[in-house]
Amino acid sequence: KYSTMLHLSPGEIDFITEGILQDIRVDGRGRLDYRPFSLETGIISQANGSARVVLEGTDVLVGIKAELEVPSNKRPNEGRVEVSVECCPSASPEFEGRGSDVLNLELAGTLERYLNSSATLDLKALCLVPNHHCWVIYVDALVLDSTGNLFDALSIATRAALINTEMPVVTVVEGTEANDFELELEADSLVPLPLKDVPVFVTLTRIGNTAIVDATLEEEECSNGRVAFAVNSKGNICTTQKGNGVMSATQLQQMMLDASVIGQKIIELMNKVIQEEKSITKKYGFLHSSLYK
Amino acid sequence: MATRELVSPEGLRIDGRRPNEVRQLMIKMGLFNRADGSCYYEQGNTKVLVAVYGPREVTHSARAKHDRAVINCEYNMAPFSTGEHKKKSKGSRRQAELSLVIQQVFEAVILTELAPRSQIDIYLQVLQADGGTRCACINAACLAIIDAGIPMKDFVVACAAGYYDKSPIVDLNFYEDSSGSPDMPVAILPKSGTITMLQMDSKLHTETFEAVMECAVDGCQKIYEVMLSAVRSRTQELVNSNSSNF
């Protein structure tokens, strides 16, 4: 559970649970309906890539910076992705100071896992000189406001930001001595990241015996189980992260099938929006009047 | 660091401004759901976001004051806000210093006696830093506090100024700041003209000190005009949304 400040009365919990049994949620959605969300990329000009997702009241901003560093000892001919998530105090005062550390680590850890796999990103292509130079992609997410379903929003924003990222072309010039390399950056020619099939996470929350998608804070409070599936454009499951709760194998299987369908739809929508964005030159970022106020 | 030419012979700075011109301002208030007040503020390429909570119950009862509200301020920079990626920003000394400075500015302006034994939280988040971040944060915080409906004696407006080639320049960007020009951020209460914050790095002759300060105060007044019109249009927006005319 991501929020501890919400106190629901037994009456409210009953109302939410009974409604879901009849496929009607508090805001009128069905079990597997997603809230409409807005997506905008390229709003932080100083970052290599950026994206902002506003899912009703959940506001997430992801910035990506690519830096040249030394490859890790365990993988000397690969680049890597380092993820950090910061839940800002603007989302909830309980995130002040070190209050959000545990949540940040949990969210960042899962994101980092699936991003550092060769199915998502060609890590070998990020390595310029084995053992000496490689690209490190820093993915930094800021959670600015939250009304539930943080995880999915983060994965959508991360995927969009990665697609939006552009890096300078680097040529390796061999020096006279062994192990002497010079790297020349051409700031004018930019290339996208060597992405393969970046998935998005779809979290299924169990309330009673039914599973719903895109839970609000109130619904998360009533839940007794949670599983998140990373789904790619082909509908394949790339990573799973199971939260609390006990479920049978058949229930899990059904949840997986639901997640696969929804994940594919989200990716399709995202690709359409990102394609349309290419013809828009003016970025509004936070100056856009919000749709949901 | 060698000082490159900050003002060309024609009187233009590297981004095309005149020495007395402030960067373009863009303001948006009331962005967040859970925060009582919020503001997004852009000054050129510097972008900051401020959320305000309060007055609300004190988190640590030992800190509560019996006759006024406690102001709590936290300044954060996003890792992608600067040219080079910035790792773990929490707990840095600069962050602590700026949080304290901004807290002191608002302690003097907010009518804290109206809310004893309570707490007002100001959370500042820098999304992109291109010089003048502490001034941008103060301005954005002032607007966020107004958005939250917390009473203040006056607006607080901040602006920085520097000095190059015998004349003061207003609102330095990152390049100008790091090129060796002295940097003097000043915050004022515009109606009375009183100064609530004054800092300076580098060194200045006492004669030039006054000229630079005047330049900064002048910049503050210009920014004040923009902030005032932003508050007015936000209020109009709220009034319109409450009216029954569709």
Side-chain angles (χ1 to χ4, degrees), chain B residues 105-134:
Chain B
V105 166
F106 286 102
E107 255 167 16
V109 186
I110 295 178
L111 299 174
T112 48
E113 310 82 47
L114 295 178
R117 280 182 288 273
S118 66
Q119 180 174 308
I120 296 174
D121 297 303
I122 306 173
Y123 300 123
L124 313 144
Q125 181 76 40
V126 176
L127 299 175
Q128 207 169 276
D130 186 23
T133 43
R134 72 188 66 195

Side-chain angles (χ1 to χ4, degrees), chain A residues 161-223:
Chain A
L162 285 168
I163 294 175
N164 176 247
T165 304
E166 283 179 329
M167 313 199 303
V169 174
V170 183
T171 29
V172 185
V173 177
E174 284 194 30
T176 42
E177 296 157 19
N179 291 342
D180 179 20
F181 298 98
E182 226 179 76
L183 300 170
E184 287 176 1
L185 267 87
E186 292 166 53
D188 293 334
S189 49
L190 298 167
V191 287
L193 281 172
L195 298 172
K196 296 221 188 128
D197 198 342
V198 187
V200 289
F201 268 91
V202 179
T203 306
L204 278 129
T205 315
R206 259 172 60 90
I207 296 184
N209 268 326
T210 12
I212 53 166
V213 107
D214 189 17
T216 61
L217 275 178
E218 292 82 15
E219 288 167 339
E220 275 173 5
E221 197 69 22
C222 304
S223 74

Side-chain angles (χ1 to χ4, degrees), chain A residues 5 43-47 57 59 61-63 65 67 82 84 86 88-93 95-98 100-101 138 140 142 144-147 217 286-289 293, chain B residues 26-28 30-35 40 42 45 47 49 51 53 56 72 74 76-85 87-90 119 121 123 125 127-130:
Chain A
M5 294 267 272
I43 48 178
I44 305 281
S45 43
Q46 232 161 279
D59 198 335
L61 175 64
V62 173
K65 282 200 96 66
E67 306 263 315
E82 283 192 26
S84 89
E86 213 176 295
C88 302
S90 54
S92 165
F95 292 151
E96 190 194 336
R98 308 215 77 104
S100 59
D101 277 1
Y138 287 104
D140 297 295
L142 291 180
L144 301 166
D145 204 2
S146 173
T147 51
L217 275 178
F286 289 86
L287 295 168
H288 231 306
S289 53
K293 288 278 176 336
Chain B
M26 302 282 226
I27 295 171
K28 178 105 180 92
L31 299 155
F32 296 143
N33 241 311
R34 293 173 80 176
Y40 172 73
E42 261 184 40
N45 278 328
K47 301 179 180 164
L49 203 52
Y53 284 85
R56 59 190 193 106
N72 178 33
E74 191 177 296
N76 265 316
M77 288 187 84
F80 45 77
S81 61
T82 49
E84 262 183 36
H85 179 261
K87 287 202 204 257
K88 250 328 167 139
S89 65
K90 299 239 168 175
Q119 180 174 308
D121 297 303
Y123 300 123
Q125 181 76 40
L127 299 175
Q128 207 169 276
D130 186 23

Side-chain angles (χ1 to χ4, degrees), chain B residues 42 54-55 68 83 90-91 125 127 130 137 140 154 158 162 215 226 238 241:
Chain B
E42 261 184 40
R68 67 182 79 157
K90 299 239 168 175
Q125 181 76 40
L127 299 175
D130 186 23
C137 281
D154 192 357
C215 178
V226 182
L238 290 172
S241 67

Side-chain angles (χ1 to χ4, degrees), chain B residues 135 157-161 184-188 195 197-199 213 216-217 220:
Chain B
C135 296
V157 188
C159 186
M184 185 194 292
V186 179
I188 61 166
I195 297 177
M197 178 193 82
L198 179 63
Q199 294 187 314
M213 201 172 82
V217 172
C220 288

Side-chain angles (χ1 to χ4, degrees), chain B residues 174-235:
Chain B
F174 181 75
Y175 182 79
E176 290 166 335
D177 195 356
S178 47
S179 292
S181 156
D183 179 26
M184 185 194 292
V186 179
I188 61 166
L189 304 182
K191 277 198 270 215
S192 52
T194 46
I195 297 177
T196 53
M197 178 193 82
L198 179 63
Q199 294 187 314
M200 199 187 82
D201 62 10
S202 185
K203 52 184 182 184
L204 270 184
H205 201 280
T206 35
E207 285 163 9
T208 37
F209 183 91
E210 260 204 59
V212 175
M213 201 172 82
E214 249 182 64
C215 178
V217 172
D218 195 49
C220 288
Q221 292 290 0
K222 290 192 177 136
I223 296 176
Y224 175 54
E225 298 296 315
V226 182
M227 283 169 68
L228 201 51
S229 76
V231 173
R232 288 210 174 106
S233 60
R234 166 76 177 154
T235 313

